[in-house]
Structures are given as C-alpha cells and as structure tokens.
Amino acid sequence: MPAAQPDPMAPLRREWTRLTPAQRISRWLVWLVCAAAVLWAVRSIDIIPEFLEDAPEQMADLLVRMWPPDIAHYYPAVHEALIETLHIATLGTVFCFTLAVPLALLAARNICTIRPLNTLAQLGLVASRSVNSLVWALLFVAIFGPGAAAGVFAIAFRSVGFVGKLLSEALEETSHGPREALRASGASWGAEMLKGVWPQVQPAFWGIALFRWDINVRESAVLGLVGAGGIGLVLDDAINFFQWERVATVLLAILAVVLLAELVVTRIRARLI
C-alpha cells in the first residue's frame, strides 16, 4: 500500500483554538492598555494638525530646493569632513576595544568567578549602552571642546557596552576542555586565555569588530551636529544657511560612504569567518 502523501495546503489551514474567558479578557486588556498608551503619547507630545496637513507640500518643496545637488561643493569641504568621519569611527572602535575586552573578561562568569566583579562589569556595560552617542558627544564636547577628539571618545564610550556584552556572551559559550587541559599541564592564566579561549572566540571577535565599525561609521556622521567633528559639522552649516543644494551633496556623500562601508565589511567577514 503506497504511503500517504503529505497535504501541501496543511500549513495554510487556520487552526482554531478555544480561549477561556480569562484569556479573552486578558487579551482585550492588553489591547486596551496599548491603545491607551498610544493615545496618551499622542496627546502629550502636542501634535499640531495644521503642520501635519502641510507636511507633504513642505517635503516636496524641500526636495525641489535640494535638486540638483551642488557637486562642486564636495571637494574639499565635504571630502575632508568624510575622511575625518572615517577616522573618528576607526579610532573610536579601536579605543572601544581597549576598554571593552577587560570588561568582557570580568563580566564572563566562566572567566571571572568573583560575583561582585561580574556585577560591576555588567553594570558598566549597561551604563555605556544606555547613553546615546549624541549625549556622550555633548559630554565630551564640554570636556575637550569642539572637535574630532570629542567624537572619538563619544564613539568609544558608546560602543563599549555593545562590544563588551557580545564578547562576554561569546566567552561564556566557550568549551572548558582546552582550559582544563592547559591548566593540568601547568600553563599560566595568560596561556589559558591565549591558547584555550582565544581560538574559540576569534571568529566572534572579528565579526563584532567589523559590525561595530560599520555602526560607528553611521553614528559618527551625525556627531558634528553637536560639535564633535566629522561631516555632521558641514551638514549643520549647510542647513543653518539654507543651502539645500549643499545639503543634498552631503547626504549623498554620507549614503555613498555607508554603502561602501557595508560592502567592505561584508567582503571582509566572508573571508575571515
């Protein structure tokens, strides 16, 4: 007797589930809370209906003013600002790893067995992630003054939490076998990390580094809006002086750099991982 053929339409058929009264009430309460939260948010931000009605016309007028882009403005002002933006992203990423790697080692429970140190390291990682890069930039502009230095430190301190969190998770997923074998042979703690842990986390390390650098290129492009250097300064000046053709040139340059960075990161990840 031939085997029964599977029904190709089975996954598309709807499965009916009978809910209890308590489940139905709880679902309606969830929807009611969500609707109330949205309504409260809309009322609290004081949206002006006249501005919403006029928004499509204003957007169309802005696009007309931005076309055609002022390509002659690209060199040298936009070009030099783009190079500075890439430098900010690169240096910030490198400096970030000098802070994130020790915190990741302390946060990984299989590497550092002292619970108070685990808690302090995880608190530092959470504190870094909870503050936006623009807020970090404002703080470092107040400390170092306007310029690229503030942008580098803002990118670094913003990235520590992201990198440290992912690295600590990668460290906790490593196998204990190589470390135990090295410890039994009398190897030092540094040798355990270098020979037993690093080969296991190396693919994750380079993947995190490339991914974070790609993110930092995007974030460093707007730091100039608060005086932290980069192409954001050129964009802010063009907007303040209503030079919309130059604004279009800056936006196109940022888009090109972001796409190029994405392409480079994808190619490198394919070769390393």
Side-chain angles (χ1 to χ4, degrees), residues 21-261:
Q23 289 176 328
R24 287 197 295 268
I25 292 174
S26 62
R27 287 195 174 191
W28 279 108
L29 285 176
V30 170
W31 284 110
L32 182 61
V33 170
C34 292
V38 171
L39 182 61
W40 186 19
V42 170
R43 295 187 61 183
S44 62
I45 62 177
D46 194 19
I47 296 177
I48 302 175
E50 292 78 9
F51 286 1
L52 287 179
E53 295 175 2
D54 193 37
E57 295 180 7
Q58 296 295 334
M59 178 61 70
D61 181 63
L62 184 61
L63 293 176
V64 170
R65 296 181 188 180
M66 294 172 65
W67 186 262
D70 185 8
I71 304 300
H73 179 62
Y74 174 78
Y75 192 85
V78 178
H79 179 77
E80 293 177 355
L82 270 179
I83 298 300
E84 186 177 61
T85 298
L86 293 175
H87 290 168
I88 291 173
T90 304
L91 292 176
T93 304
V94 172
F95 183 43
C96 149
F97 273 86
T98 64
L99 301 175
V101 171
L103 285 176
L105 291 172
L106 292 176
R109 290 184 291 268
N110 62 332
I111 303 297
C112 178
T113 57
I114 304 174
R115 297 306 177 194
L117 289 180
N118 293 147
T119 304
L120 287 176
Q122 291 171 0
L123 180 62
L125 297 178
V126 171
S128 170
R129 296 198 306 273
S130 63
V131 180
N132 189 270
S133 57
L134 287 177
V135 179
W136 281 118
L138 285 171
L139 293 175
F140 286 112
V141 165
I143 296 172
F144 299 107
V152 170
F153 282 97
I155 289 295
F157 277 78
R158 168 63 173 168
S159 305
V160 165
F162 177 91
V163 172
K165 175 68 173 176
L166 294 182
L167 276 180
S168 65
E169 292 178 352
L171 288 169
E172 290 181 346
E173 293 174 358
T174 57
S175 174
H176 298 281
R179 290 187 61 196
E180 292 176 355
L182 288 168
R183 190 181 303 115
S185 64
S188 62
W189 183 85
E192 289 182 28
M193 294 296 103
L194 185 61
K195 300 297 184 180
V197 176
W198 170 245
Q200 299 184 63
V201 301
Q202 183 178 4
F205 178 88
W206 292 117
I208 294 168
L210 291 171
F211 185 43
R212 190 63 222 185
W213 179 80
D214 187 23
I215 296 174
N216 288 341
V217 170
R218 293 170 170 84
E219 292 196 350
S220 59
V222 299
L223 295 183
L225 298 176
V226 295
I231 198 170
L233 283 172
V234 180
L235 179 62
D236 189 45
D237 289 340
I239 293 175
N240 290 335
F241 288 101
F242 305 106
Q243 298 170 337
W244 300 112
E245 297 88 354
R246 295 187 176 186
V247 171
T249 301
V250 174
L251 293 179
L252 289 175
I254 293 175
L255 177 62
V257 168
V258 169
L259 292 176
L260 182 61

